[in-house]
Amino acid sequence: MTELQVVLPGTPLADEIVRAYMSDVASRWYGRQATPGELEEAFRSEPYDELQGTGGIFLVGVEDGRAVGCAGVRFGDGFAELTKVFTRPDHRGQGLGGRLLEAAEQACVDRGITTLRLDTRAELREACALYERNGFERVGPFNDEPYSDRWYLKVLDTGVR
């Protein structure tokens, strides 16, 4: 069974899964396996060290000591942004992505945040399908990220009536 853990950015477990995520995303972008140099550049250009403390949270799915999935949340002023959502290909289709999203949403609700948004690319089909299955709705652009062509938003149920 895959256990979800809050992991600090920069630790070996966190870096392992973020590098796997970057490899997958960069390789899809280039249409070929990304080179080590391209991966290092992607890793440097998308830091995730703020995903801790008051700035955010980084969740990692761990199975037998190996990081197999992740999801990060950046806490903003009245909203949060989902980032680095990834499940290793050999663990897809087992519900891990949905569990990571649920845990990310709960972290937002625990902080009183009711809006969760994200940007992505259409070519990341598995991710887009995951977001749509889990209640995220497509919206217009809310940033000018050069690698994004899809934006999603979800209003979270805080349980307050």
Side-chain angles (χ1 to χ4, degrees):
M1 178 70 176
T2 303
E3 177 188 0
L4 299 188
Q5 299 178 8
V6 175
V7 177
L8 291 176
T11 60
L13 200 60
D15 281 356
E16 172 193 344
I17 195 65
V18 170
R19 286 185 186 280
Y21 160 79
M22 292 292 192
S23 178
D24 185 69
V25 171
S27 294
R28 289 183 194 215
W29 174 258
Y30 290 117
R32 58 168 169 73
Q33 187 63 43
T35 67
E38 290 165 339
L39 292 177
E40 285 306 313
E41 176 57 31
F43 196 74
R44 280 191 306 274
S45 70
E46 285 193 40
Y48 73 113
D49 56 329
E50 77 283 6
L51 300 179
Q52 61 183 311
T54 59
I57 190 170
F58 191 64
L59 300 159
V60 177
V62 181
E63 190 171 290
D64 298 325
R66 178 177 175 239
V68 296
C70 61
V73 181
R74 273 187 206 94
F75 301 129
D77 188 19
F79 68 92
E81 286 197 49
L82 197 57
T83 184
K84 296 190 178 27
V85 177
F86 175 72
T87 303
R88 288 185 187 272
D90 62 339
H91 279 73
R92 292 182 184 153
Q94 300 174 24
L96 178 57
R99 289 180 54 217
L100 285 162
L101 286 183
E102 185 177 296
E105 290 174 18
Q106 187 60 53
C108 293
V109 169
D110 290 349
R111 286 164 178 77
I113 296 171
T114 59
T115 303
L116 183 56
R117 66 187 194 182
L118 66 100
D119 58 271
T120 190
R121 294 196 320 262
E123 74 179 299
L124 300 174
R125 294 172 303 284
E126 303 92 344
C128 293
L130 173 69
Y131 303 136
E132 291 170 11
R133 269 194 320 272
N134 284 277
F136 284 81
E137 296 183 9
R138 287 185 63 182
V139 296
F142 52 78
N143 62 28
D144 59 358
E145 287 294 323
Y147 299 112
S148 297
D149 61 9
R150 282 199 181 176
W151 292 262
Y152 287 94
L153 183 130
K154 182 174 183 178
V155 176
L156 304 175
D157 181 3
T158 63
V160 177
R161 302 275 180 229

